[in-house]
Amino acid sequence: MKNIAVIGVGYVGLVTGTCLADLGHRVVCLDVNEERITNLNKGILPIYEPGLEEVVRRNVNAGRLLFTTHYPDAVNGTSPDLAAEYVFIAVGTPSAVDGKADLDYVRRAAESIAEVMDHPIIVVNKSTVPVGTGDWTADIIKSKQTRPIKFNVVSNPEFLREGNAIYDFMYPDRIVLGSLEREAAEKVAQLYLPVRATIMITDLRTAEMIKYASNAFLATKISFINEIANICEALGADVKEVATGMGYDKRIGRAFLDAGIGYGGSCFPKDVLALAHMAKERGRHPQLIQAVMDINADRRRQTVDKLRELLGGALQDKKIGILGLAFKPNTDDMRDAPALEVIELIEAEGGRVQAYDPVAMQVARQIKPNLELTVNPYECGAGCDAVVLMTEWNEFKQLDLRRLKNLMKSPVIIDARNVYEPEQVADMGFSYRGIGRGYNYR
Ligand code: NAD
Ligand code: UGA
């Protein structure tokens, strides 16, 4: 059992802290957001993540998982035997205005650690940070220490997906550790031994780059299949079948070849942009990455084009039902959710929107207080000229479409996630557009 502090209790910090506690370590999670910590101490989680609440409760009850706002308690422990050997940084790294990753939260976390640390520690960076941030973090800690105390910085990028976070932590495809001192990385590797995953140890900058390159590659797969979807629409082929056919080739793989509304969320948009920014800063021209972003931005506009096409022109005074607000199923995260942009495009053309999401409505209310929300998917379609399916929640896959049709003003569905079978929906009397499903043109 090791003593661990986790700085930042968002998606990554809470999942990491909780899962490390579940592996048997003693973990103190710290956040500067007092309300977040007060709620966590009452058992109220800041995010919706399937299964997480139970694992948090189990580890809190076992005394292995604690929450605080007090840096000295987290880093040095309330007694010397509880001092943290490892301090994970898991604070946010959002996009700054120019697309660069904003490192302000990382800087402040590093300063706070340096100011209080009274014993040697390994600082483990889990936040997604531009290449070179590990060295920069070490410089900050050195400059803010009240007296010189040994420490190491290890980069340990996180690859979990929201909605699958616990599984991804417990069964990772790989664990990447980067450090200038191999011994420090090996110590961090010991924490993960119970998960029995492949562990790769490399240098700091390479570890940081592996994270960006991985996210950018997955985003590239998505933009690639979306481009193929556009071509399928023009030529009468079905992109779902194309992706399946491609996916049988082990060199290609079926994962991340779902054409749709494009990628959103708190990660791909900001990380792809930050990688492009890093390249440009060093005088490189990231052509492919730029195309990936351009194709993704077009997805939202193309969805609204499809609406106009099926509604016979302008969206002025048309009522549109939006099914799904979260950027993907099994999360209530709406950061960079495609639904928000589509709603804004519809409203900009004078259309009216009502929306429904199985779990993200509370978050939606905070982000967009004037958005009309409905109590279920049928109410969402009631009186509408068209419905747009934005998130592939299971609940939407099982909808009684005949019931929905009877409630709608006109039976029009834009299926931005290719959830339905075009022929079946058309047979029910809907005007239907999926993404890249060539049936439209037969
Ligand atoms: P988040 O915004 O959900 O949480 C960040 C937390 O850090 C917040 O609770 C905030 O109050 C806290 N914080 C900010 N400054 C602090 C400070 N100085 N001291 C202590 N706490 C502080 O962020 P997230 O989604 O968990 O992402 C964190 C990092 O992990 C980002 O770099 C992100 O790119 C990366 N990442 C995220 C995911 C994901 O699925 N969300 C997956 C892999 C990697
Ligand atoms: C993504 C990565 O999958 C994680 O490995 C990574 O750790 C994380 O970003 C991060 O760096 O923070 P996440 O954003 O939670 O995880 O969700 P994904 O499942 O990757 O989906 C991202 C977006 O791509 C969603 O909007 C999703 O709808 C879209 N997507 C995904 C597609 O449009 N098509 C696909 O085939 C797959």
Side-chain angles (χ1 to χ4, degrees):
M1 194 216 42
K2 300 288 185 187
N3 291 329
I4 299 170
V6 176
I7 310 299
V9 196
Y11 247 103
V12 169
L14 184 56
V15 171
T16 302
T18 303
C19 290
L20 284 170
D22 213 44
L23 295 181
H25 302 295
R26 182 180 183 278
V27 183
V28 181
C29 294
L30 174 140
D31 205 288
V32 285
N33 182 331
E34 287 186 15
E35 190 188 351
R36 191 162 274 211
I37 295 300
T38 306
N39 281 336
L40 278 162
N41 279 323
K42 288 185 203 154
I44 303 167
L45 269 54
I47 50 166
Y48 171 86
E49 177 64 36
L52 185 59
E53 201 171 318
E54 190 199 324
V55 192
V56 169
R57 195 180 320 121
R58 184 165 69 231
N59 286 285
V60 167
N61 289 344
R64 286 190 300 265
L65 181 62
L66 298 99
F67 300 101
T68 183
T69 53
H70 194 53
Y71 265 95
D73 283 359
V75 177
N76 300 329
T78 43
S79 62
D81 57 316
L82 298 178
E85 194 178 333
Y86 304 84
V87 180
F88 281 71
I89 297 182
V91 299
T93 49
S95 292
V97 270
D98 54 2
K100 196 178 182 167
D102 179 350
L103 290 178
D104 208 36
Y105 300 117
V106 176
R107 181 181 53 72
R108 280 195 242 169
E111 285 174 356
S112 303
I113 294 165
E115 280 158 7
V116 304
M117 65 185 278
D118 66 1
H119 63 286
I121 54 172
I122 298 179
V123 176
V124 187
N125 194 7
K126 262 220 167 284
S127 297
T128 303
V129 290
V131 178
T133 303
D135 306 303
W136 175 81
T137 307
D139 290 343
I140 291 175
I141 296 178
K142 252 184 234 146
S143 72
K144 289 285 169 180
Q145 279 182 329
T146 48
R147 62 190 162 92
I149 303 172
K150 182 164 167 47
F151 70 94
N152 293 100
V153 175
V154 174
S155 165
N156 173 210
E158 179 53 61
F159 300 101
L160 67 79
R161 290 161 297 172
E162 296 184 9
N164 292 284
I166 296 175
Y167 179 89
D168 287 349
F169 186 96
M170 292 298 184
Y171 303 95
D173 289 339
R174 77 306 207 183
I175 289 162
V176 173
L177 300 171
S179 179
L180 297 178
E181 283 185 48
R182 195 177 167 90
E183 200 190 327
E186 280 169 357
K187 277 196 178 160
V188 180
Q190 282 167 21
L191 295 178
Y192 288 109
L193 290 182
V195 306
R196 296 169 170 272
T198 301
I199 297 180
M200 175 182 176
I201 296 186
T202 181
D203 64 80
L204 256 181
R205 288 177 180 233
T206 304
E208 290 165 346
M209 189 61 179
I210 288 170
K211 174 63 193 174
Y212 279 101
S214 301
N215 272 5
F217 185 74
L218 293 171
T220 303
K221 278 189 100 174
I222 298 169
S223 280
F224 176 84
I225 201 67
N226 282 329
E227 179 146 295
I228 295 295
N230 283 351
I231 304 172
C232 283
E233 282 177 11
L235 299 178
D238 184 337
V239 76
K240 268 188 116 166
E241 299 278 307
V242 171
T244 304
M246 288 170 66
Y248 286 126
D249 186 328
K250 291 191 187 64
R251 295 168 303 172
I252 298 173
R254 176 63 183 81
F256 280 72
L257 287 181
D258 289 324
I261 187 71
Y263 61 79
S266 68
C267 303
F268 286 175
K270 87 168 167 61
D271 292 346
V272 178
L273 189 64
L275 181 57
H277 193 276
M278 272 182 257
K280 286 182 201 158
E281 259 185 341
R282 296 298 171 112
R284 306 297 154 125
H285 180 37
Q287 297 173 67
L288 178 59
I289 296 169
Q290 189 56 53
V292 167
M293 291 190 287
D294 292 345
I295 292 168
N296 199 56
D298 280 351
R299 305 310 295 164
R300 281 68 157 160
R301 287 192 287 275
Q302 285 173 353
T303 303
V304 179
D305 291 345
K306 285 192 165 116
L307 256 183
R308 252 188 262 101
E309 179 200 337
L310 290 192
L311 292 177
L315 298 183
Q316 180 74 38
D317 296 329
K318 298 282 195 251
K319 193 162 150 192
I320 314 295
I322 299 289
L323 287 178
L325 292 166
F327 81 100
K328 66 175 213 176
N330 298 324
T331 178
D332 62 354
D333 200 335
M334 285 191 59
R335 290 178 283 184
D336 251 314
L340 285 174
E341 211 178 316
V342 168
I343 290 169
E344 271 158 30
L345 289 170
I346 294 169
E347 287 176 343
E349 294 191 25
R352 288 175 297 134
V353 169
Q354 56 191 34
Y356 170 77
D357 188 283
V359 302
M361 304 236 272
Q362 211 178 326
V363 177
R365 248 178 232 116
Q366 288 156 15
I367 302 176
K368 217 171 153 45
N370 295 331
L371 179 63
E372 199 176 315
L373 296 170
T374 62
V375 290
N376 62 46
Y378 301 102
E379 284 298 312
C380 181
C384 282
D385 296 278
V387 156
V388 186
L389 189 145
M390 291 294 304
T391 317
E392 67 276 34
W393 286 99
N394 281 339
E395 183 177 341
F396 300 155
K397 294 178 186 164
Q398 307 302 333
L399 277 190
D400 178 348
L401 290 177
R402 287 181 210 283
R403 181 175 161 200
L404 180 71
K405 181 173 168 243
N406 289 336
L407 291 165
M408 290 178 69
K409 189 170 160 201
S410 61
V412 173
I413 294 186
I414 307 290
D415 178 2
R417 297 288 190 172
N418 284 342
V419 161
Y420 302 122
E421 276 316 307
E423 281 83 356
Q424 283 175 12
V425 188
D427 284 351
M428 288 180 204
F430 279 98
S431 294
Y432 173 89
R433 284 285 180 277
I435 306 288
R437 320 264 341 233
Y439 67 94
N440 288 333
Y441 302 93
R442 262 184 222 145

